[in-house]
Amino acid sequence: MHPFFFGPSHSPLFAIYEAPKLASTCGVLICPPLGQEHIRTHRALKLLGKQLTQANFHVLRFDYFGTGDSAGASGEGSLTRWIEDTECAAAELRTLGELRTLSVVGWRFGATLAALAATPSLRVDTLVLWDPVCSGRKYLEELGELQRGVLRDPLRFPEGRETGPDELVGFAYPRLLRQDLAALNLASTPVPTCGEAVLLAEPNDAEATVLSNTYRAAGGKVAWVDLPERGAWGDASQIEEALLVPASVRTITSLLTARHHA
C-alpha cells in the first residue's frame, strides 16, 4: 500500500495506490462519496481496494479537493473541480500501472462524479455506479432532512444546537455548490462513454431505473446488478457507524474479475 500526493502542486490530492503481486495491466479507480457518507464508507472502500488488489488489479483510492486528506478546506470544492480530480486520478493510475484496461467504481456521489467524468478521453472499460445519486436536488433534500434529524436528537444536543446556513451533517455545502448540485440530474446528462455501465442499485430504485433506460435509449451498454445491502443513508441514528457491506464488495470484485480476467 503506497500513500502519496499527486495532481496540481498548489492543491495536491491524497491517494493510496495498491499494486497486485502478479503482473497485470488492469486497474480500478475507486471514487468515494462526499461528506458524512465518505467517513462511513472509508472502511468498506479500503476492503474493496484490498480484495481487488488480491484479484490482480492495480487500485487507486483518492480524496477530492477539499475532502479527506487532500488540499483545500471543507466547502472549497466544486462539481467542476471534483470531475477534474477524477480525471486526474484516472490518468495517475494509468501511469502507475501501465494499464491496458481501466474500470471505475463510484459509490453514491462518487458514482455521479465517475459518470460525469467518463468521457472519451478517460477511456473507461467498465463503469460501476454503486447506489448512485441520480438527482442532486433530491440528494440535498435528503441531507437537509438528515441534518434536522441530527439536531433534534436530545442525546447529541440536549439543549439544541444552531448551525450555519452552509452546514449539512458536519460539512460545508456553500450556496454555489448547492446550486450546482441542485441542477444536476444524471438522467439528463450525456451518456458515459465506456465499454459498459453497471448499475448496482436496489431492484425497485425508480431513479436508477430512469437512468438505466436513458443510457439504453442512447445506445449505451448497461447491466443491472441488484444491490446486496442497503446503506440506510438517511438514518440519523447511524451516521457515526461505519457501513460494512461485504456482499457488495464481493459482488463488485467478482463482476470486474469476470469481465477483465476471464
Side-chain angles (χ1 to χ4, degrees):
M1 186 170 66
H2 173 54
F4 68 106
F5 288 92
F6 71 101
S9 59
H10 60 280
S11 55
L13 305 174
F14 178 75
I16 292 178
Y17 168 63
E18 298 178 86
K21 292 183 177 180
L22 302 177
S24 173
T25 57
C26 300
V28 181
L29 176 67
I30 297 177
C31 301
L34 297 176
Q36 189 66 24
E37 292 180 359
H38 190 176
I39 295 174
R40 292 190 64 202
T41 58
H42 182 270
R43 186 175 174 184
L45 292 180
K46 180 179 179 180
L47 177 61
L48 175 62
K50 180 178 180 180
Q51 291 198 9
L52 287 169
T53 303
Q54 291 173 344
N56 214 34
F57 288 97
H58 297 265
V59 177
L60 186 74
R61 295 181 284 125
F62 73 105
D63 295 333
Y64 315 106
F65 176 74
T67 74
D69 292 312
S70 288
S74 176
E76 291 185 342
S78 69
L79 192 58
T80 299
R81 173 64 199 257
W82 292 336
I83 294 171
E84 293 173 352
D85 292 345
T86 304
E87 295 168 346
C88 185
E92 187 73 18
L93 178 57
R94 279 195 182 279
T95 300
L96 289 169
E98 300 180 351
L99 301 184
R100 176 179 55 85
T101 68
L102 172 68
S103 298
V104 180
V105 177
W107 197 359
R108 294 290 288 161
F109 208 86
T112 311
L113 293 170
L116 295 172
T119 60
S121 62
L122 211 65
R123 294 178 290 132
V124 176
D125 295 278
T126 304
L127 175 67
V128 180
L129 305 179
W130 183 2
D131 199 4
V133 172
C134 299
S135 167
R137 184 175 298 280
K138 182 178 178 182
Y139 173 68
L140 288 173
E141 291 172 352
E142 291 172 347
L143 285 178
E145 181 56 35
L146 183 59
Q147 167 88 346
R148 290 186 287 274
V150 169
L151 295 179
R152 287 194 301 263
D153 186 347
L155 296 179
R156 288 191 175 91
F157 306 110
E159 299 178 0
R161 177 172 178 251
E162 295 294 329
T163 64
D166 292 343
E167 183 181 331
L168 287 174
V169 201
F171 291 84
Y173 288 77
R175 180 178 58 84
L176 291 179
L177 176 58
R178 293 188 192 217
Q179 288 177 353
D180 281 349
L181 297 184
L184 179 62
N185 185 347
L186 275 191
S188 61
T189 60
V191 174
T193 303
C194 57
E196 180 184 28
V198 178
L199 277 167
L200 188 63
E202 293 186 48
N204 299 317
D205 188 320
E207 288 190 337
T209 299
V210 172
L211 182 62
S212 176
N213 292 338
T214 300
Y215 285 1
R216 288 194 173 98
K221 184 179 179 182
V222 183
W224 186 297
V225 177
D226 288 347
L227 185 67
E229 299 124 331
R230 298 186 62 182
W233 305 110
D235 188 343
S237 68
Q238 298 187 34
I239 63 168
E240 287 93 357
E241 297 181 13
L243 187 61
L244 303 180
V245 285
S248 296
V249 168
R250 288 193 300 269
T251 295
I252 293 171
T253 302
S254 296
L255 72 85
L256 290 178
T257 300
R259 283 162 171 77
H260 299 292
H261 290 323

